[in-house]
Amino acid sequence: MEPLWRHQTEDLEATWHLPAAAIPWEPRLGKSRLIIETALRLCDRDEIDTVLVVAPCGVHLNWTRVELARFWPTHLPARVVEWRSGRTGSKRYQAELVAALNHPGFLWLSANVEALASDKLPRFLEKVTRRRRCLLVVDESHYVKNPRAQRTRALVALSKSCPYRRTLTGTPAPQGPFDLWSQYRILDPDVLGLRYTTFKRRYGEFRRVSYGGPAFDELVSYRNLDELERKISPITFPRRKADCLDLPPRIFARRYFEMPPDHARVYRELRDQLVARLSSGEEISAPHALTNLLRLQQISRGQAYVPGTGARPLGPPYPAVDATVELVLEHKGKSTVWCR
């Protein structure tokens, strides 16, 4: 197994024993590895027997199908259950949920946050958190920033039964500091207070306005943000890529190439006239701006999309492909190539 990065080790030692912790790390810094190592520490000390991960749809499957396969040790078997809203009426799936609830060993349960808007998932998770000792992990926690949303209220209710709680996000306050209240309410209700309206009045300045309709309070500016930062700092462990010097270096490189004359002619015609004629005599057109951009990108890579027949190569040479191959060979190792 890969060794922990230095920043992961430092924050693991600082947070694994805390009942609540916010992990606002920038993307690609290894938040999931930190959570898995935290779960292992708590499991070894018999503090928990379940990890409940709640994340946006698709992200919740990444935990069970990718991250556990990479980092969960084989000597500690865990029962893994994924919430599937479309199968809740199946007797076989119901039996699987009951078996998970009564599982004597360690349990990993992953659910999509959207399903919390229904009644079935909250009812099942209420049983889980009441009967088992859970580490609650809310991944991409900015998705539960709205205190009035049903998913937020469900998570706040569940968190009260979980002895350990974590929120993970790369953007904790995408639309301002008011986004923090719900996330920290899940972690610890005492950190920011119990009333959202009081929180807003403390950290925002409002004025009463009316634009021809009913009067309402309009936000003028934020205030007391230093105090807000002091309140959340004891359970908040932010990380930026620039501060994590142990990360492997990112390589930035740019390669220029010239299109073959025939490719360049088709490119110019489509760019300037929104229609072009191929050497085969066929015509291609892109009257809409976004379609035009897509077609120009395809031509620059040596192919054209012909209506009715699909994409076809414009003919060699293909300098964009050659430049990509040179780049991969130059830096060696594993590479990921995006075609667009």
Side-chain angles (χ1 to χ4, degrees):
M1 188 183 298
E2 308 167 19
L4 288 170
W5 291 328
R6 186 171 61 203
H7 69 275
Q8 291 173 323
T9 301
E10 291 172 354
D11 281 10
L12 176 64
E13 296 300 329
T15 65
W16 72 265
H17 57 286
L18 297 179
I23 314 295
W25 288 8
E26 288 187 349
R28 299 167 58 88
L29 291 183
K31 295 187 286 289
S32 55
R33 179 70 184 279
L34 175 68
I35 293 300
I36 290 174
E37 294 295 332
T38 298
L40 289 171
R41 290 272 184 103
L42 294 172
C43 178
D44 287 343
R45 289 156 179 80
D46 198 30
E47 296 285 338
I48 63 170
D49 57 17
T50 302
V51 175
L52 168 57
V53 176
V54 180
C57 191
V59 177
H60 74 295
L61 299 179
N62 185 70
W63 280 88
T64 54
R65 302 182 184 185
V66 178
E67 302 301 336
L68 285 184
R70 290 178 63 193
F71 302 124
W72 191 258
T74 55
H75 73 268
L76 182 60
R79 188 184 188 100
V80 178
V81 177
E82 299 167 352
W83 179 261
R84 302 179 185 179
S85 299
R87 294 187 56 193
T88 52
S90 162
K91 291 183 179 179
R92 184 174 180 179
Y93 187 64
Q94 286 291 332
E96 182 180 344
L97 296 181
V98 172
L101 194 59
N102 300 317
H103 181 57
F106 201 86
L107 173 66
W108 268 87
L109 176 60
S110 181
N112 57 306
V113 69
E114 296 84 358
L116 288 170
S118 68
D119 293 329
K120 293 180 179 179
L121 178 58
R123 283 200 303 266
F124 173 69
L125 294 185
E126 184 183 356
K127 295 178 184 177
V128 172
T129 56
R130 212 173 47 233
R131 299 187 194 179
R132 305 183 67 93
R133 295 165 295 154
C134 291
L135 165 62
L136 172 63
V137 180
V138 184
D139 196 4
E140 305 291 350
S141 59
H142 55 275
Y143 277 84
V144 292
K145 64 187 179 182
N146 183 357
R148 299 179 183 87
Q150 187 171 345
R151 64 179 70 174
T152 304
R153 295 198 302 266
L155 279 172
V156 170
L158 291 171
S159 67
K160 297 175 182 177
S161 304
C162 298
Y164 294 93
R165 302 163 300 280
R166 300 290 185 269
T167 57
L168 315 178
T169 180
T171 53
Q175 295 180 345
F178 293 163
D179 292 349
L180 298 176
W181 187 83
S182 294
Q183 299 176 63
Y184 281 88
R185 181 79 189 279
I186 293 169
L187 291 174
D188 185 348
D190 295 330
V191 171
L192 296 181
L194 298 178
R195 294 182 60 84
Y196 182 56
T197 53
T198 304
F199 171 77
K200 290 179 66 176
R201 291 293 177 184
R202 179 65 184 168
Y203 299 107
E205 182 178 348
F206 296 84
R207 65 182 175 187
R208 195 73 175 170
V209 297
S210 175
Y211 297 108
F216 65 96
D217 291 333
E218 181 180 63
L219 176 66
V220 177
S221 62
Y222 298 111
R223 60 184 179 183
N224 300 321
L225 296 185
D226 290 343
E227 175 191 286
L228 176 60
E229 185 173 354
R230 287 196 302 272
K231 283 187 175 182
I232 66 175
S233 61
I235 61 169
T236 305
F237 299 84
R239 287 284 182 176
R240 298 184 305 164
K241 292 177 183 176
D243 301 328
C244 302
L245 303 180
D246 54 325
L247 290 174
R250 297 182 66 184
I251 300 172
F252 294 90
R254 182 173 293 182
R255 291 291 185 274
Y256 295 94
F257 63 89
E258 291 188 12
M259 288 185 286
D262 192 45
H263 299 193
R265 176 189 61 78
V266 175
Y267 186 99
R268 288 193 300 270
E269 289 181 6
L270 190 65
R271 181 194 63 195
D272 299 337
Q273 304 171 27
L274 305 183
V275 63
R277 183 178 297 277
L278 305 181
S279 57
S280 63
E282 298 169 296
E283 281 192 354
I284 58 173
S285 62
H288 303 294
L290 289 177
T291 307
N292 199 326
L293 288 173
L294 174 62
R295 298 290 178 258
L296 291 175
Q297 189 273 337
Q298 291 169 339
I299 293 169
S300 73
R301 301 304 186 260
Q303 60 179 345
Y305 181 85
V306 180
T309 60
R312 63 171 58 183
L314 291 174
Y318 302 105
V321 176
D322 296 338
T324 303
V325 172
E326 290 177 4
L327 196 61
V328 171
L329 293 177
E330 178 180 336
H331 295 292
K332 301 180 180 179
K334 296 180 179 179
S335 301
T336 303
V337 179
W338 281 269
C339 69
R340 188 169 301 113

